[in-house]
Amino acid sequence: MINRRSLLKVGVAGGALAAAPYVFSRSAVAQSKYKDEYKLSTVVGLPFPWGQGGEIFGNLVRERTAGRINIKMYPGVSLVSGDQTREFTAIRQGVIDLALGSTINWSPQVRELNLFSLPFLAQDHAGLDALVQGDVGKQIVGIVEKAGVQVLGWGENGFREVTNSKREIRTPADMKGLKFRVVGSPIFNDTFTALGANPTQMSWADAQPALASGAVEGQENPMHIFTAAKLHTLSQKFVTRWGYVADPLIFVANKDIWASWDAKDRDIVKQAAVDAGKQEIAIARKGLSGADQSMVKEVEALGVKVTELTDAEKNAFKAAVKPSYDKWVQQIGADLVKKAEAAVAARKKA
């Protein structure tokens, strides 16, 4: 005779066996909800370190998830018709699944991101690393996530140098009256206006024909943009390396997309962003620091005059833009800027 205790054991065992297929099938259902393709937005494509970073990220994710997460890059901010300043909103709304985006382009929606556009704050790569990799970077990540996206990692577009078709720039007086294309963040208008220039905000897609036609005479971007975009063919004959603004990039995901992946895949995607970011930063800095000045020499070989400012010359520009700097400290947040200034001051120089 089977006693009651034996029947109970059988029932428990049977219940466990019945539950196992249910757990498996629930996982299978979750996997089936993964999209065939996830759209990654970038401003520029493969000729640029920025675009290369996006491709590296997508490849790492695809390999490490065995194809469960297939990322396709859409350069030219094509998912929002080329409007760089709409990208962040489109990520929050789900129009874009993932992005490797510029802190500059997203600053109209997240004012604290203007921190990186404060003229002459970061000063050099060590200063930028002190900001991004320290407590300031952690605080920025929290602010960006509160604004509605999932942060995955950091990349870098680089320090932005000024170019033009008219003359060598060594002093603020040399900027007077020149028409410059600047990005769509108001802080750039204020900075260039303080230097006596005539700034015009436009997308990168519009900037190139404007330079070619002479509608604008100059622009500011990292050195690798100069070579990849062949700016010497757009009448840009003079480059001044002043390193006035750094341009960090951020890997992010739409929060609904992030939540749709299981925990293991989220870990894989986040680590892929970190790894891709390290590779992309190395690419962006190549030939621009220390003994390796190959990027500078490449630009000079195109018949372009490259000017390196002395510390005294940089100080003249800092003094000229101080009113703009002080104005934006209040908009960004004085406490955050103070923390950032301290981090840069305490940086370990190479």
Side-chain angles (χ1 to χ4, degrees):
M1 177 181 261
I2 299 174
N3 61 33
R4 186 174 179 181
R5 184 175 295 176
S6 298
L7 284 171
L8 183 60
K9 288 180 179 179
V10 171
V12 170
L17 288 170
Y22 171 76
V23 172
F24 175 80
S25 63
R26 183 172 61 181
S27 176
V29 169
Q31 290 290 333
S32 70
K33 291 182 179 177
Y34 280 31
K35 295 167 64 172
D36 292 336
E37 175 189 293
Y38 293 91
K39 296 179 173 65
L40 171 71
S41 178
T42 62
V43 170
V44 294
L46 288 179
F48 306 85
W50 188 341
Q52 292 172 44
E55 183 179 64
I56 292 168
F57 172 58
N59 288 341
L60 288 176
V61 171
R62 192 177 303 107
E63 292 166 7
R64 294 175 182 180
T65 62
R68 289 189 303 277
I69 298 177
N70 178 42
I71 295 173
K72 181 178 178 180
M73 189 168 71
Y74 287 78
V77 213
S78 57
L79 299 171
V80 284
S81 302
D83 188 344
Q84 296 163 222
T85 59
R86 286 178 51 209
E87 187 179 51
F88 190 82
T89 300
I91 301 162
R92 288 189 301 189
Q93 294 173 341
V95 175
I96 295 172
D97 301 320
L98 303 121
L100 175 55
S102 167
T103 53
I104 294 172
N105 292 335
W106 297 351
S107 62
Q109 288 79 40
V110 186
R111 62 181 174 83
E112 291 87 352
L113 291 179
N114 285 293
L115 175 74
F116 300 107
S117 298
L118 282 173
F120 304 101
L121 170 64
Q123 299 187 40
D124 51 32
H125 288 134
L128 181 55
D129 289 341
L131 294 176
V132 170
Q133 297 174 13
D135 291 339
V136 171
K138 292 176 183 177
Q139 186 172 341
I140 290 291
V141 166
I143 291 168
V144 173
E145 290 189 338
K146 189 175 181 180
V149 301
Q150 176 65 46
V151 175
L152 307 175
W154 292 92
E156 184 177 306
N157 193 26
F159 278 88
R160 302 175 76 89
E161 316 294 13
V162 67
T163 78
N164 81 100
S165 61
K166 296 297 184 182
R167 55 182 174 262
E168 181 184 24
I169 294 174
R170 277 196 174 275
T171 71
D174 296 326
M175 303 276 286
K176 189 173 179 61
L178 290 178
K179 295 175 287 186
F180 284 93
R181 173 267 178 180
V182 295
V183 292
S185 177
I187 190 172
F188 287 84
N189 259 352
D190 289 349
T191 297
F192 275 73
T193 299
L195 292 170
N198 295 326
T200 300
Q201 293 180 337
M202 62 180 68
S203 70
W204 181 240
D206 292 334
Q208 294 173 81
L211 289 167
S213 68
V216 293
E217 296 159 325
Q219 61 90 53
E220 46 78 61
N221 255 309
M223 287 285 280
H224 59 75
I225 297 284
F226 193 99
T227 55
K230 298 181 173 59
L231 292 184
H232 65 290
T233 67
L234 303 178
S235 300
Q236 298 304 283
K237 301 174 183 177
F238 301 93
V239 175
T240 295
R241 294 190 70 195
W242 60 345
Y244 85 120
V245 163
D247 186 8
L249 306 176
I250 310 181
F251 291 86
V252 302
N254 168 271
K255 283 199 169 182
D256 289 337
I257 293 297
W258 180 250
S260 73
W261 296 330
D262 65 32
K264 180 180 178 182
D265 282 338
R266 287 198 294 268
D267 288 343
I268 290 172
V269 172
K270 196 160 192 176
Q271 188 60 51
V274 171
D275 295 343
K278 290 178 180 177
Q279 292 184 50
E280 190 275 337
I281 289 170
I283 295 169
R285 294 184 182 182
K286 186 177 180 182
L288 291 170
S289 60
D292 182 10
Q293 296 291 316
S294 56
M295 177 65 69
V296 178
K297 293 175 182 177
E298 185 178 345
V299 172
E300 289 177 329
L302 298 172
V304 175
K305 171 68 175 176
V306 178
T307 300
E308 301 276 351
L309 296 187
T310 65
D311 288 342
E313 288 170 332
K314 283 186 181 181
N315 286 337
F317 282 94
K318 290 179 186 179
V321 299
K322 191 174 188 306
S324 173
Y325 188 105
D326 292 343
K327 169 188 173 180
W328 280 90
V329 166
Q330 301 308 313
Q331 298 196 37
I332 295 163
D335 289 343
L336 178 58
V337 174
K338 185 177 180 180
K339 185 186 291 186
E341 289 171 341
V344 173
R347 72 195 186 280
K348 293 182 180 180
K349 297 183 182 180

